[in-house]
Amino acid sequence: MLSIRSASFALAFAPRRIIASSSATTKQQTARSMTATTTAPSTKPLTLEEHSPSYASLLDKLRTITHLNHASSVLNYDRQVFMSQTDKTSTARGKQMATLATILHEKSTDPEIGTLIEKAMEDLNDLTTSCDDEKKVNEEDLKTAKRILELEKRDFNKRLCIPSELAARKAKLEASANHAWVQVCVLLVFMCVCVCGCLVMICRKCTHDMFII
């Protein structure tokens, strides 16, 4: 009787033991695969932004300058499309754009940008000359980074030749000049309407006289 009970007990709990052992094996395999994944070397090609802190800092500064340029474009678009064309609003918007142009010029002519460009170029040359089979680099990223550095260095040297006062005055004059141009266009349209109306009246009078004759 005892042997029958023990046999039934073993049969009842045998599947649970098998499931428990299989789940423990699965957990061990998952842990081993995760460990292998974390310890295995990365095969992703290296970029200049990952290699050079100077280039990463330079990109952050350029993104800030780009955002300021976008803000200036939004103000300019609002001035031309939605803003009421009065002397008061034109003067106020001119001062706003002049202030933003001053900040933008100061940000874009920061001496640190020139230093970061030179350091990033040195890092680019080091990465290009010292790369080997074990340390693969992203060739397309290096070409793009090289072109960005060349263009930014050229533009940076150009911006250094422009004083911040001149940049602010330019933005203010653009706002006032656009307002004056809108007023001239409105006056020209009014004059054209008046001339066309006079011509229509003259044509009608001449036609009427011809029919009377």
Side-chain angles (χ1 to χ4, degrees):
M1 191 69 178
L2 261 177
S3 60
I4 296 173
R5 289 181 179 177
S6 61
S8 62
F9 181 81
L11 289 174
F13 284 91
R16 296 182 183 178
R17 292 176 182 176
I18 294 172
I19 293 172
S21 62
S22 62
S23 62
T25 305
T26 305
K27 289 180 180 179
Q28 290 177 359
Q29 292 177 353
T30 305
R32 289 174 183 174
S33 62
M34 291 176 64
T35 306
T37 304
T38 54
T39 56
S42 177
T43 57
K44 184 180 177 182
L46 185 66
T47 61
L48 182 61
E49 188 174 0
E50 297 171 346
H51 173 75
S52 173
S54 299
Y55 185 67
S57 300
L58 176 64
L59 291 182
D60 289 337
K61 288 184 175 295
L62 294 182
R63 292 187 187 101
T64 302
I65 294 172
T66 302
H67 294 329
L68 290 174
N69 276 318
H70 289 169
S72 179
S73 300
V74 171
L75 286 178
N76 190 26
Y77 179 80
D78 178 73
R79 172 176 57 83
Q80 296 181 9
V81 179
F82 299 108
M83 192 181 74
S84 59
Q85 298 296 330
T86 61
D87 294 336
K88 185 177 180 180
T89 56
S90 177
T91 303
R93 183 52 55 89
K95 292 179 180 179
Q96 295 167 5
M97 297 188 67
T99 303
L100 186 58
T102 303
I103 297 173
L104 180 59
H105 187 269
E106 291 175 354
K107 292 282 187 181
S108 59
T109 56
D110 185 2
E112 189 178 356
I113 292 180
T115 305
L116 292 175
I117 292 174
E118 296 299 331
K119 290 182 178 180
M121 285 185 170
E122 294 177 0
D123 294 338
L124 176 63
N125 294 331
D126 293 340
L127 185 61
T128 305
T129 55
S130 64
C131 63
D132 50 14
D133 295 336
E134 296 181 357
K135 191 178 181 180
K136 294 183 179 180
V137 296
N138 192 332
E139 296 294 340
E140 290 296 327
D141 178 77
L142 293 186
K143 291 180 181 178
T144 303
K146 182 179 179 181
R147 188 56 179 163
I148 289 175
L149 291 174
E150 292 174 351
L151 294 176
E152 185 55 33
K153 184 177 181 180
R154 182 196 66 183
D155 295 340
F156 178 72
N157 292 330
K158 287 183 177 180
R159 291 193 296 265
L160 288 177
C161 300
I162 303 174
S164 59
E165 294 81 5
L166 182 59
R169 185 180 178 187
K170 177 177 177 292
K172 191 174 181 179
L173 287 176
E174 284 179 354
S176 60
N178 181 80
H179 177 62
W181 170 250
V182 170
Q183 288 181 334
V184 170
C185 290
V186 171
L187 181 60
L188 288 175
V189 170
F190 178 75
M191 292 176 63
C192 290
V193 171
C194 292
V195 171
C196 290
C198 292
L199 291 176
V200 170
M201 292 178 64
I202 293 173
C203 291
R204 285 181 178 178
K205 188 175 185 305
C206 293
T207 305
H208 181 70
D209 293 343
M210 290 175 60
F211 278 112
I212 291 176
I213 294 173

